[in-house]
Amino acid sequence: MREPVFHTLSSLCPKALAAEAEAGLLAPQAHCHPKLFYDALGSHLFDAITELDEYDLRRTEAAALAMHQEALGRALRACLPQQPCLIDLGAGSCAKGEALFALCDPGRYVAVDISVDFLRRSLQCLQRAHPERELIGVGLDFSAELALPDSISQPGSLVFYPGSSIGNFDPDSARRFLGQARLLARGGALLIGVDLRKTPAEHQAAYDDALGVTAAFNLNLLRHLNRLLGADFDPHQWRHRALWNADLGRVEMHLEAQQALRVNWGGHQRGFAAGERIHTENAYKWTVPDFEALLHAVGWGQAQAWCDPEERFAVFLASE
Ligand SMILES: C[S@@+](CC[C@H](N)C(=O)[O-])C[C@H]1O[C@@H](n2cnc3c(N)ncnc32)[C@H](O)[C@@H]1O
């Protein structure tokens, strides 16, 4: 049996992450990048979220892929070499990447994630199920720049970015990221999942479930900050808030101080008034024409959308 190979790239530097987190906490409107949700517990909590009744993104994405499986397989074969390199961005449990193996039979699977310990365990399990396949894990923070050494990617790669994680980027940053994904594919293609606009109530419920799993996911960020900065956040003093911002077409997650409090770390401190918030995530929701236009704007020649039967989620295949 092969062993997965791991690389940790320099962008994943705890000092840089800590400096960025600190700047966000000290900003007039405190904020934190959503990548900080993902320590090992955060990755498990995200997987639990995808099982919730209220959060249907995994189910609708799977329905879109299942419904168009044959046509999608043909389209992939038409725009990719045989046994392409499959690059899974934010691979997490690698379950979605593995599900693509049947469709594109990758010669190399490159799983990229910021949550390195979780990714390492995921890839080791995957290797047991696919002992002969070449698996590469890459610890990388792609929020500043998405790029891999040429020795890891290959010409004609399939870049896979499922789960509507692109919704975490505002439209300008999404354009930049999709342009970088095009360079990463090196003449290949991009397969990307995008959650579509629904009613405000549906969006809000998806990010504020009855069991409080999303609340735990959001609050876990404070534990992560405590470790990263040596801070003394007490999660009991905070509560999860999810809001639909109709003007900007996005769900926002915040952590709200339940009382006036003070947080200390490494010679810094910040006071929060009762009700003051730390903005922790945006999840932009798209329409099919707007996302198609975005793909064309960064130079993808072909872009096709494949939706689930109720048109709640779209999977786009973009190629040169
Ligand atoms: C919403 S989860 C999606 C997981 C999986 N791809 C899916 O669709 O179910 C986002 C994933 O991206 C990873 N991630 C988030 N921000 C990242 C960053 N800046 N660089 C690399 N990975 C990141 C997280 O650790 C997590 O595994």
Side-chain angles (χ1 to χ4, degrees):
M1 188 177 94
R2 285 175 178 241
E3 282 288 315
V5 174
F6 282 89
H7 302 268
T8 301
L9 301 191
S10 57
S11 65
L12 197 54
C13 159
K15 266 193 175 168
L17 272 183
E20 185 184 341
E22 184 167 292
L25 286 178
L26 292 172
Q29 160 61 71
H31 57 89
C32 219
H33 195 284
K35 64 190 174 193
L36 291 178
F37 290 138
Y38 297 98
D39 59 0
L41 177 59
S43 297
H44 284 292
L45 287 168
F46 175 75
D47 272 357
I49 287 173
T50 66
E51 301 288 329
L52 295 167
D53 291 340
E54 295 92 334
Y55 191 89
D56 70 352
L57 279 70
R58 180 177 283 183
R59 291 183 291 278
T60 49
E61 184 174 52
L65 287 168
M67 183 170 162
H68 303 289
Q69 195 173 351
E70 281 181 20
L72 181 58
R74 278 196 301 277
L76 288 172
R77 284 189 292 280
C79 66
L80 293 170
Q82 278 200 341
Q83 296 209 301
C85 172
L86 171 60
I87 304 174
D88 189 352
L89 301 178
S93 69
C94 302
K96 291 184 185 174
E98 183 183 20
L100 267 195
F101 288 1
L103 270 189
C104 71
D105 187 23
R108 170 184 287 182
Y109 173 63
V110 180
V112 176
D113 210 291
I114 197 168
S115 186
V116 177
D117 293 339
F118 189 80
L119 179 66
R120 200 179 285 274
R121 285 197 289 272
S122 305
L123 266 190
Q124 280 160 351
C125 290
L126 191 65
Q127 189 82 79
R128 281 196 283 280
H130 302 271
E132 298 310 324
R133 218 176 269 280
E134 183 185 10
L135 306 182
I136 299 181
V138 182
L140 163 70
D141 173 5
F142 52 57
S143 59
E145 192 191 1
L146 171 63
L148 291 176
D150 281 356
S151 56
I152 295 180
S153 67
Q154 288 176 339
S157 292
L158 176 61
V159 176
F160 183 41
Y161 196 36
S164 204
S165 295
I166 191 67
N168 290 158
F169 293 84
D170 64 44
D172 281 345
S173 312
R175 184 176 297 115
R176 183 178 48 78
F177 185 82
L178 293 172
Q180 292 171 351
R182 184 166 166 241
L183 295 180
L184 182 61
R186 299 171 69 185
L190 169 71
L191 188 65
I192 182 165
V194 180
D195 196 27
L196 300 177
R197 289 262 178 116
K198 305 175 190 83
T199 65
E202 284 173 301
H203 284 313
Q204 179 128 6
Y207 292 79
D208 196 5
D209 61 278
L211 295 181
V213 182
T214 313
F217 176 69
N218 198 4
L219 287 161
N220 178 57
L221 184 145
L222 299 177
R223 280 179 66 252
H224 196 180
L225 286 175
N226 283 349
R227 270 199 324 277
L228 191 65
L229 298 174
D232 60 357
F233 279 102
D234 177 357
H236 289 108
Q237 297 178 321
W238 296 82
R239 76 175 181 121
H240 165 68
R241 296 293 309 268
L243 315 162
W244 170 246
N245 183 329
D247 291 338
L248 295 175
R250 70 188 192 196
V251 180
E252 295 177 5
M253 296 212 310
H254 299 257
L255 288 164
E256 185 174 285
Q258 303 205 63
Q259 62 196 68
L261 56 89
R262 192 156 284 283
V263 182
N264 302 282
W265 72 94
H268 294 279
Q269 60 168 225
R270 167 149 189 173
F272 288 89
E276 200 175 344
R277 294 176 185 163
I278 305 174
H279 188 167
T280 55
E281 186 181 50
N282 293 319
Y284 284 82
K285 304 300 171 180
W286 287 86
T287 64
V288 168
D290 285 351
F291 200 79
E292 226 161 41
L294 188 66
L295 289 167
H296 288 307
V298 300
W300 289 104
Q302 311 280 331
Q304 185 169 3
W306 317 80
C307 291
D308 66 298
E310 292 171 39
E311 305 201 342
R312 296 170 70 80
F313 196 99
V315 178
F316 288 82
L317 177 62
S319 56
E320 291 296 326

